[in-house]
Amino acid sequence: MTTSLRTDLTQLQERLDRYWSDRAAAYHGNQMHGRRARVDRELWAGVFAAHLPAPPARVLDCGTGSGYLAFLLADLGHAVVGVDTAEGMLAAARSELDCRRRAAAPLARFVRADAVSPAPGLAAAGVGTGVGFDTVVSRFLLWTLRDPVAAVRSWSGLLAPGGRVVCVDANWFPEGTVGDLEVESAGGPDEFARTYTDETVRTLPLAGSRGPEAFAEVFREAGLRDVQVEEVPRVQELDAELGTAPGHESRPHYVVSGRV
C-alpha cells in the first residue's frame, strides 16, 4: 500500500468516526428506547443465539458502537469484548455500562481498537487473546469498512481453532446514497449526506452491494470455510408493521458466517 493511499484511508476512517461519534446519542437512544426496541432485541437475541456456541463463549464484537450487541450477548451469558474507533460511540457504551453495573446486569468490556485490525488495540489495552476468541461478531459493520476482506482475515487470526465469524448486515445503498437523507446527529441532520457521499460509498466495497453474494465472497476471500448466508425476513416484516428506524429504508438483511 502506498503512503498516499494509506493517508487517504486514514483520513476516510477519521471522517467516518466523527460522523458516528456525532450520531452516537441519537443512535443509542433509538436502539434502547425506540418503538421497536423490545421486538428488535428479541429478534437479534434469537438470531445470534442460533449462530453462537453455548454460553459462556468468549466473543469479540467488532464495530460495537454503543454496545448494543455486546450487551445483548452478555445477557445471553457470553464474555464479550467490544471494539470501536468512534470515541462518541464508546462513550455511550461506557455510560450504558455504568447503568448496568448499578443494576447488577451482565457486563461487557470496551476497547478502542480498529475493527479492520483490532489486535494492536486489544494488546495495548491488555486484552490478551490467549487461546483465542470463540466467535467474532458484528452487526451493521461490514458495509462501512474500508477493507472488509482485510478485516475478516484479521478477525480469523484472533479465533481459536474451529472458531466462527458471524455478521449481520444488509445491502444498504445498491443505488447509491440519497443526497437529501436526514438523520438526527450532533453534527446536524445533513451530516450523513455530507459524510456518506456517493464517492465515499464507492470507496467502501460493501456499501453499494446488491446482494448477499458480495458478503459471502468477502468471507471466502479472507480464507474462511463453510461460508453460509441466511436471510432474516423478520426484519422487513417488522419494517412493514412498525416502520423503519429514523433515516432508514427497508432492506433485506443477512447473517453471514464462516469458520476458520
Side-chain angles (χ1 to χ4, degrees):
M1 183 184 299
T2 65
T3 300
S4 60
L5 178 57
R6 188 180 299 110
T7 299
D8 289 346
L9 291 176
T10 299
Q11 292 173 344
L12 170 63
Q13 189 61 54
E14 290 173 349
R15 182 156 52 89
L16 299 183
D17 287 344
R18 281 195 299 273
Y19 166 74
W20 288 109
S21 287
D22 286 347
R23 181 84 185 279
Y27 189 84
H28 184 62
N30 182 69
Q31 288 194 107
M32 299 302 294
H33 308 296
R35 64 184 180 279
R36 288 180 50 160
R38 180 183 60 80
V39 292
D40 277 341
R41 181 178 177 80
E42 292 173 354
L43 167 65
W44 297 120
V47 166
F48 279 95
H51 288 84
L52 266 63
R58 192 175 186 209
V59 180
L60 178 65
D61 177 22
C62 288
T64 191
S66 60
Y68 179 88
L69 180 56
F71 291 129
L72 187 154
L73 298 183
D75 285 338
L76 293 178
H78 298 292
V80 188
V81 177
V83 299
D84 209 297
T85 48
E87 292 285 8
M89 283 289 188
L90 289 173
R94 289 172 178 140
S95 177
E96 184 69 20
L97 184 65
D98 288 341
C99 293
R100 291 174 67 92
R101 186 177 288 111
R102 290 192 293 270
L107 305 179
R109 180 171 182 180
F110 296 99
V111 173
R112 189 176 191 278
D114 184 2
V116 175
S117 181
L122 290 169
V127 181
T129 57
V131 296
F133 291 94
D134 299 300
T135 311
V136 176
V137 299
S138 75
R139 176 175 172 267
F140 308 150
L141 169 74
L142 290 172
W143 76 271
T144 196
L145 291 179
R146 62 190 185 273
D147 192 339
V149 173
V152 176
R153 189 177 291 126
S154 73
W155 302 346
S156 300
L158 297 172
L159 286 166
R164 304 186 72 203
V165 177
V166 180
C167 301
V168 165
D169 223 301
N171 302 117
W172 293 110
F173 302 109
E175 307 301 330
T177 58
V178 180
D180 58 355
L181 178 65
E182 294 189 348
V183 294
E184 185 178 354
S185 172
D190 65 339
E191 188 177 15
F192 179 90
R194 289 186 283 107
T195 302
Y196 284 95
T197 63
D198 284 343
E199 180 181 2
T200 298
V201 167
R202 286 191 293 270
T203 303
L204 305 173
L206 292 175
S209 61
R210 295 175 177 270
E213 182 57 29
F215 294 94
E217 184 56 33
V218 163
F219 276 45
R220 295 190 193 102
E221 190 175 342
L224 295 185
R225 299 183 291 111
D226 304 326
V227 175
Q228 299 180 16
V229 178
E230 175 186 321
E231 293 193 19
V232 189
R234 182 59 177 153
V235 175
Q236 289 191 287
E237 293 172 6
L238 290 173
D239 290 344
E241 293 172 16
L242 301 175
T244 63
H248 289 67
E249 295 182 1
S250 186
R251 299 291 192 207
H253 284 56
Y254 318 103
V255 181
V256 190
S257 62
R259 190 181 303 277
V260 296

